[in-house]
Amino acid sequence: MAGLRVDELRQSYGERWRWYAVGTMMVATMATVLSATSINVALADIMVAFDLGQGQVHWLATGYVASMTLAMLCSTWVLDHIGVRAATMLVMTAFSVISVAGGLSTDVSLLFASRFALGALSGLM
């Protein structure tokens, strides 16, 4: 786990390294919370656009939370095996790409898959 020692971070980034770390995690946390809750205001429009029933469309919110919960169980293993910095960068990059793909989806199965994947990535984050 090279690069995780405090003295290495201080040498690379100066005393600002703490603020970089805090800022990165604040952005990640806000993105996951917004992603989890913002879908609720769009459920009615999604029902119309994809011709879904209420029971089906609520899986977008429920599936997100369910996959997030399952992924939280694996987060310690991921952090131990690939490292905190690598995991954070990988998860944040994948989260951004899948968010765009889900937002641009024209197929309901891609929308559901992106929501489940975003939930899993949120759990890892």
Side-chain angles (χ1 to χ4, degrees), residues 39 54 88 92 103:
I39 192 79
Q54 188 175 16
T88 302
M92 288 181 74

Side-chain angles (χ1 to χ4, degrees), residues 3-4 27 29-30 39 59 61 68 75 86 90 97-98 105 111 116 118 121-124:
L4 290 179
V27 168
T29 302
M30 288 189 317
I39 192 79
W59 272 105
M68 180 174 64
S75 64
L90 180 67
V97 170
I98 293 173
S105 65
L111 181 62
F116 295 161
L118 287 174
L121 290 168
S122 294
L124 293 175

Side-chain angles (χ1 to χ4, degrees), residues 17-100:
W17 74 271
R18 288 186 176 115
W19 294 108
Y20 291 146
V22 168
T24 301
M25 295 318 296
M26 284 176 60
V27 168
T29 302
M30 288 189 317
T32 59
V33 170
L34 286 173
S35 179
T37 58
S38 64
I39 192 79
N40 294 327
V41 297
L43 289 179
D45 292 331
I46 292 171
M47 286 173 64
V48 172
F50 291 103
D51 193 31
L52 297 173
Q54 188 175 16
Q56 294 170 311
V57 79
H58 279 290
W59 272 105
L60 292 173
T62 306
Y64 183 97
V65 174
S67 61
M68 180 174 64
T69 304
L70 289 173
M72 281 182 192
L73 299 172
C74 305
S75 64
T76 303
W77 183 88
V78 171
L79 293 175
D80 287 344
H81 283 78
I82 66 172
V84 175
R85 290 172 70 186
T88 302
M89 291 302 296
L90 180 67
V91 168
M92 288 181 74
T93 302
F95 189 89
S96 299
V97 170
I98 293 173
S99 291
V100 171

